[in-house]
């Protein structure tokens, strides 16, 4: 390791390297040192290379992983009536299936985060995508509910691995001014995956059964898994793990595809980190406050985000908020009604509309102000749901609530990787997003006893309390990261 000085964030001080623009232009009059002495960091390279063809090819591939994940979460909510009928069960399948899925996400999220810091982002992403594909296909041949629930546990394990890994890789690939839109693309694919499951289930389940529905939903998994195999490793990870030559190859590939006239000349310099993926560092004194606030925020947001997956199948055909279809557990009722798909599709459309709006707001006003604004909107819109207003007003409040909570999730997914350095980013994001799935676990267990048995107003009141808690926690956050390098 050279004796070059580092600033407190472990980036090279400006005096220690020559800007890439000067290097690419090869203006010898402005360059007094030899090529061999020139140094640059990964952040400097990403800024100067900018957005281009390379990113437009590979960022959508990574983002499409969100499509496969959400399609399986949504599918779990839509198959329950068919499963109830086929296996003649008198147990709350809706509660148990989502409970098993989110429970599987716990170990997947934490273990894959540590693995991503120790062995690489790409290895963990491929492993998670192949697990998701394998157990999605295996679920189509389930001969009883035990086999099916086991398959969904491993589907949850894969989703726990993929969610934060996709966001981490997108953040580390993207130029600083494009990180928001990379994660936005991931969330948009996430919503489209849910919409895809709704459409496929609507057209096929009553005619061909849940097995064909699951198989059709698995087809995009195959295509996306093939493309994920071709994705490059994060240059930031390669650099901090000592694979400098490999990191330079990735950056040169970005440069040549984005701008053939641009050439990186010099030596990539980065401090090698041997203590990567330490969970102790994540909860240590330096990052403890951010970890705690992010974990609580994601847990509370998870309760609200995943409530729709548990709630929609219970809504009655009257579409009034105070009535639920309590006959969902009667095995004689073996057809899934159309309003279920219509309600879920409307919610997806509301999310698609609001996500880009708040992505732009976030870039204009910053992470913290946008998080607080969204939290206020979420509290107000969720509180109005308590009163079960007239149908039109109720649906407007529901759309605003769903759009705001999904946008809040978007901001938290952008913000979380920016709060941890590269050598613990995988472990930090994995441990933090585990609480998002904990929120899903609470939601799956809460909706039936609170909402179905005691009325929707009780459920809306519980969600309002979760929204207030989110407002408090984001109000305590004090680290603005918009436009900052991630180290």
């Amino acid at each position: 390791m050279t004796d070059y000085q580092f600033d407190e964030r472990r980036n090279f001080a400006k005096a220690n390297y020559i800007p890439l623009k000067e290097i690419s232009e090869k203006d010898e009059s402005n360059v007094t040192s030899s090529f061999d002495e020139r140094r640059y960091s990964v952040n400097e390279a990403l800024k100067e290379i900018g957005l281009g063809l390379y990113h437009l090819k590979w960022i959508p591939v990574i983002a499409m992983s969100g499509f496969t994940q959400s399609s399986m979460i949504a599918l779990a909510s839509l198959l329950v009536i068919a499963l109830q009928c086929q296996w003649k069960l008198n147990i709350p399948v809706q509660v148990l299936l989502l409970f098993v899925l989110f429970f599987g996400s716990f170990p997947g999220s934490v273990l894959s985060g540590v693995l991503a810091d120790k062995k690489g982002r790409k290895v963990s992403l491929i492993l998670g995508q192949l697990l998701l594909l394998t157990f999605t296909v295996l679920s189509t041949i389930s001969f009883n509910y035990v086999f099916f629930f086991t398959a969904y546990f491993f589907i949850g394990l894969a989703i726990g691995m993929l969610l934060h890994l996709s966001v981490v890789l997108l953040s580390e690939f993207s130029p600083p001014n494009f990180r928001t839109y990379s994660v936005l693309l991931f969330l948009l694919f996430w919503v489209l995956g849910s919409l895809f499951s709704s459409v496929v289930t609507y057209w096929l389940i009553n005619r061909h059964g849940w097995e064909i529905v699951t198989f059709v939903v698995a087809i995009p998994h195959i295509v996306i898994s093939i493309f994920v195999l071709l994705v490059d490793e994060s240059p930031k990870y390669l650099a901090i793990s000592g694979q400098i030559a490999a990191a330079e190859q990735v950056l040169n590939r970005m440069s040549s595809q984005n701008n053939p006239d641009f050439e990186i000349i010099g030596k990539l310099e980065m401090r090698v980190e041997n203590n990567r993926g330490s969970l102790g560092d994540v909860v240590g004194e330096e990052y403890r406050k951010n970890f705690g606030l992010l974990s609580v925020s994601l847990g509370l947001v998870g309760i609200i985000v995943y409530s729709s997956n548990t709630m929609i199948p219970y809504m009655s055909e009257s579409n009034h908020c105070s009535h639920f279809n309590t006959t969902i557990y009667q095995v004689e009722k073996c057809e899934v009604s159309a309003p279920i798909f219509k309600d879920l599709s409307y919610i997806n459309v509301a999310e698609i509309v609001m996500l880009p709006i708040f992505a732009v707001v976030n870039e204009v006003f910053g992470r913290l102000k946008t998080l607080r604004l969204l939290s206020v909107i979420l509290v107000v819109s969720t509180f109005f749901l308590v009163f079960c207003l007239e149908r039109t007003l109720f649906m407007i409040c529901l759309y605003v609530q769903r759009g705001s909570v999904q946008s809040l999730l978007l901001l938290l997914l952008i913000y979380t990787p920016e709060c941890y350095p590269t050598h613990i980013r995988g472990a930090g994001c994995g441990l933090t997003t585990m609480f998002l799935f904990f929120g899903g676990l609470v939601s799956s267990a809460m909706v039936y006893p609170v909402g179905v048995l005691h009325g929707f107003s009780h459920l809306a009141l519980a969600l309002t309390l979760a929204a207030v808690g989110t407002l408090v926690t984001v109000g305590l956050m004090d680290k603005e990261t918009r436009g900052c390098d991630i180290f």
Side-chain angles (χ1 to χ4, degrees), residues 233-471:
E233 179 58 271
S234 162
K236 285 183 177 291
Y237 171 79
L238 291 171
I240 62 124
S241 62
Q243 303 174 67
I244 302 297
E248 289 177 333
Q249 287 179 356
V250 174
L251 293 172
N252 284 324
R253 192 153 43 242
M254 283 186 189
S255 174
S256 63
Q257 293 184 27
N258 287 6
N259 184 0
D261 297 328
F262 185 87
E263 182 181 4
I264 299 177
I265 300 175
K267 182 179 179 182
L268 175 64
E269 196 80 71
M270 193 77 175
R271 175 171 290 174
V272 176
E273 293 283 357
N274 294 318
N275 187 31
R276 303 189 302 274
S278 170
L279 294 176
D281 286 351
V282 174
V283 298
E285 183 178 354
E286 185 175 358
Y287 304 105
R288 186 179 299 151
K289 179 182 178 181
N290 284 330
F291 167 73
L293 293 174
L294 286 168
S295 298
V296 173
S297 299
L298 282 168
L300 294 171
V301 166
I303 292 175
I304 305 171
V305 165
Y306 293 120
S307 65
S308 66
N309 295 103
T310 319
M311 176 182 68
I312 289 297
Y314 294 111
M315 298 297 288
S316 69
E317 294 184 10
S318 69
N319 286 319
H320 189 274
C321 69
S322 60
H323 297 285
F324 283 91
N325 181 11
T326 54
T327 63
I328 195 168
Y329 289 147
Q330 295 180 3
V331 294
E332 314 87 58
K333 187 177 179 64
C334 288
E335 288 192 356
V336 184
S337 59
I340 291 176
F341 306 105
K342 187 173 76 170
D343 286 348
L344 193 55
S345 298
Y346 283 167
I347 287 174
N348 292 150
V349 171
E351 293 168 352
I352 290 172
V353 170
M354 291 184 69
L355 280 169
I357 294 173
F358 284 100
V360 174
V361 172
N362 164 64
E363 282 302 295
V364 174
F365 296 103
R367 316 293 194 235
L368 297 181
K369 289 181 180 178
T370 310
L371 280 169
R372 290 161 187 164
L373 172 63
L374 281 166
S375 298
V376 171
I377 296 172
L378 180 63
V379 170
V380 174
S381 57
T382 308
F383 179 68
F384 277 116
L385 294 177
V386 174
F387 302 102
C388 284
L389 303 171
E390 181 269 333
R391 161 72 179 170
T392 301
L393 292 175
F394 172 78
M395 294 308 294
I396 290 173
C397 290
L398 182 61
Y399 297 158
V400 172
Q401 187 236 26
R402 295 305 308 172
S404 60
V405 75
Q406 199 69 254
S407 299
L408 195 55
L409 177 59
L410 167 68
L411 265 291
L412 289 171
L413 290 178
I414 294 167
Y415 187 63
T416 301
E418 296 174 339
C419 291
Y420 297 107
T422 302
H423 71 285
I424 58 168
R425 185 169 294 123
C429 291
L431 191 60
T432 304
T433 54
M434 181 189 74
F435 288 88
L436 176 68
F437 299 117
F438 179 76
L441 196 73
V442 172
S443 176
S444 64
M446 179 181 68
V447 166
Y448 183 74
V450 175
V452 177
L453 298 183
H454 294 91
F456 182 85
S457 291
H458 291 79
L459 176 61
L461 182 60
L463 297 181
T464 301
L465 294 176
V468 171
T470 304
L471 177 59

Side-chain angles (χ1 to χ4, degrees), residues 9 49 59 81 111-112 221 226 268 317 352 422 483:
R9 297 294 296 178
I49 291 171
I59 285 178
I81 297 177
L111 294 177
S112 67
H221 295 214
I226 293 171
L268 175 64
E317 294 184 10
I352 290 172
T422 302

Side-chain angles (χ1 to χ4, degrees), residues 177-188:
N177 60 351
F178 195 73
R179 283 201 300 266
T180 291
Y181 303 108
S182 296
V183 183
L184 168 64
L185 193 60
F186 173 81
L187 258 294
L188 288 175

Side-chain angles (χ1 to χ4, degrees), residues 91-133:
I91 57 175
V93 174
Q94 175 71 13
V95 173
L96 291 179
L97 185 55
L98 284 172
F99 189 91
V100 166
L101 185 146
F102 290 125
F103 188 74
S105 302
F106 285 9
S109 184
V110 178
L111 294 177
S112 67
V114 175
L115 181 65
D117 284 336
K118 292 187 177 296
K119 299 298 181 182
R121 293 20 172 160
K122 181 178 178 179
V123 171
S124 304
L125 187 71
I126 291 173
L127 179 60
Q129 197 64 53
L130 292 179
L131 273 175
L132 183 61
L133 172 62

